């Protein structure tokens, strides 16, 4: 019996050493970041910036693969079902992990189906109007929207997107009279806002900043807790006495049950990348601010945002089911 127990213990030690070696060697092949949106957008751009920098530190290439569709549900479902080994990562954001689960049934649980790696960046939502709308401020717009004979439409990137939810939250908080018009993407929504088919929009910085700079639309405010360094002249809604804050946020997620050592390695590499001055500069050019932090910070953000947007969806009677 003594010999048998010795053999068992020896085998266990060898197995434990092998597992430790496997974790220590991570990664030993290329990784993939799954992006739930189409190429060319802000999510895609940030993913590629990160993939290059993180890949350099990991000593492995990181492939960016776009899997758009179903408001991010296709990509999320794919990663949730992937092998939990750290080689398949999701570039999640406010839409996939807070807004969409708040308004529709999705084939994944944003909390239990993923292992948070770390927050990537944040970006305040802008409030813009067509340049022919006769207003110069948010107060002007609210008053103008209530005038007899005036009918304002606000454009959004689609049902369940941050621009739509920002518009509905703004209406709930101010009593402004506007009708939402969902588009299939932020690009078409902005095109019609510039043309005047729709008059108001709450775009991301990535979509709205170039148009405000060029004068194609008028910027009225930012929906964040503090002013944006890109548009320091624009007030926050909170400065104006309107308690509305909508910041788009982004994070990296692995499938649930990914080994803690692997998550810790990815978190360190992510934070190292976000602390790089060149990465910060490239993110700023996209209208976002690199954030970083622990997996627990991202987990708390997801849970908090889920509660927030479920309340907004219920109050505004928004449902995509």
């Amino acid at each position: 019996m003594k010999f048998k127990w010795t053999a068992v213990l020896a085998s266990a030690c060898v197995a434990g050493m092998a597992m430790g070696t496997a974790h220590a060697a991570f990664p030993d092949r290329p990784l993939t970041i799954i992006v739930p949106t189409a190429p060319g957008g802000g999510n895609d751009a940030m993913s590629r910036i990160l993939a290059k920098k993180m890949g350099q530190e990991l000593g492995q290439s990181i492939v960016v693969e776009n899997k758009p569709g179903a408001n991010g549900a296709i990509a999320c479902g794919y990663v949730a079902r992937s092998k939990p080994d750290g080689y398949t990562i999701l570039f999640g954001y406010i839409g996939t992990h807070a807004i969409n689960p708040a308004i529709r049934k999705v084939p994944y649980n944003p909390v239990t189906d993923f292992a948070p790696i770390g927050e990537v960046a944040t970006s305040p939502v802008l409030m813009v109007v067509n340049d022919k709308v006769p207003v110069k401020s948010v107060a002007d717009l609210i008053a103008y929207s209530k005038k007899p004979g005036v009918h304002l439409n606000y454009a959004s990137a689609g049902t369940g997107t941050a621009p739509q939810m920002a518009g509905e939250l703004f209406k709930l908080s101010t009593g402004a009279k506007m009708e939402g018009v969902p588009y299939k993407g932020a690009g078409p929504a902005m095109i019609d806002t510039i043309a005047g088919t729709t008059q108001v929009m709450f775009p991301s910085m990535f979509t709205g900043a170039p148009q405000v700079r060029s004068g194609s639309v008028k910027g009225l405010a930012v929906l964040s807790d503090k002013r944006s360094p890109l548009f320091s002249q624009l007030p926050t809604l909170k400065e104006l006495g309107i308690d509305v804050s909508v910041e788009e946020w982004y994070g990296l997620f692995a499938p649930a049950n990914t080994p803690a050592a692997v998550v810790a390695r990815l978190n360190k590499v992510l934070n190292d990348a976000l602390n790089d001055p060149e990465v910060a500069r490239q993110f700023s050019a996209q209208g976002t601010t690199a954030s970083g932090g622990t997996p627990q910070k991202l987990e708390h953000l997801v849970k908090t945002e889920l509660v927030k947007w479920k309340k907004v969806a219920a109050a505004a009677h928004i449902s995509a089911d």
Side-chain angles (χ1 to χ4, degrees):
M1 287 295 293
K2 184 177 180 181
F3 172 79
K4 288 183 179 181
W5 275 111
T6 301
V8 169
L9 289 171
S11 298
C13 288
V14 171
M17 291 173 62
M19 289 180 66
T21 302
H23 288 172
F26 174 85
D28 60 6
R29 64 181 187 276
L31 290 75
T32 301
I33 293 179
I34 302 296
V35 180
T37 54
N43 296 26
D44 180 67
M46 284 185 284
S47 295
R48 294 180 189 278
I49 293 168
L50 279 182
K52 180 179 179 181
K53 188 64 181 178
M54 290 176 66
Q56 290 172 353
E57 183 163 340
L58 288 170
Q60 293 287 343
S61 61
I62 301 180
V63 178
V64 174
E65 184 177 344
N66 300 84
K67 284 187 178 293
N71 289 74
I74 292 175
C76 289
Y78 177 83
V79 174
R81 295 188 301 270
S82 296
K83 187 176 180 180
D85 55 9
Y87 288 93
T88 303
I89 304 167
L90 176 72
F91 189 90
Y93 67 111
I94 185 174
T96 58
H97 280 66
I99 295 177
N100 282 319
I103 67 167
R104 56 165 54 90
K105 292 180 180 179
V106 292
Y108 60 92
N109 185 303
V111 175
T112 61
D113 283 346
F114 299 93
I117 294 170
E119 188 179 323
V120 170
T122 59
S123 177
V125 169
L126 280 166
M127 182 180 185
V128 305
V129 296
N130 174 269
D131 63 356
K132 292 184 173 58
V133 178
V135 302
K136 294 182 178 180
S137 67
V138 174
D140 287 349
L141 180 70
I142 295 170
Y144 181 67
S145 75
K146 298 176 182 179
K147 285 186 175 182
V150 172
H151 182 81
L152 293 180
N153 292 321
Y154 79 86
S156 75
T159 301
T161 60
Q164 185 209 25
M165 300 300 276
E168 292 301 316
L169 187 54
F170 179 77
K171 288 168 57 180
L172 287 170
S173 302
T174 63
K177 297 186 180 301
M178 298 185 292
E179 184 176 347
V181 180
Y183 286 80
K184 291 184 177 180
M190 179 56 77
I191 288 172
D192 269 12
T193 303
I194 292 171
T197 306
T198 51
Q199 295 75 44
V200 186
M201 189 175 173
F202 298 83
S204 67
M205 279 285 182
F206 182 83
T207 300
Q211 308 307 329
V212 173
R213 288 196 194 101
S214 69
S216 299
V217 293
K218 288 187 289 189
L220 294 185
V222 292
L223 280 65
S224 58
D225 292 335
K226 59 183 179 180
R227 294 197 181 200
S228 167
L230 294 180
F231 299 105
S232 58
Q233 77 279 15
L234 295 182
T236 69
L237 289 183
K238 289 191 173 183
E239 285 179 55
L240 304 176
I242 302 169
D243 190 19
V244 173
S245 178
V246 182
E247 284 199 319
E248 300 209 32
W249 51 265
Y250 313 85
L252 291 185
F253 299 84
N257 300 315
T258 297
V262 172
V263 171
R265 173 79 169 125
L266 290 170
N267 175 264
K268 181 183 183 304
V269 172
L270 170 63
N271 280 292
D272 287 347
L274 294 174
N275 285 324
D276 181 84
E278 179 58 21
V279 170
R281 185 195 67 77
Q282 291 181 65
F283 270 40
S284 180
Q286 304 295 331
T288 60
T289 301
S291 46
T294 65
Q296 291 75 24
K297 176 190 173 187
L298 178 56
E299 180 180 25
H300 177 73
L301 177 64
V302 170
K303 291 179 178 178
T304 302
E305 287 280 283
L306 270 172
V307 171
K308 172 182 177 178
W309 292 113
K310 283 180 179 178
K311 289 181 178 178
V312 173
H317 306 290
I318 300 172
S319 176
D321 290 329

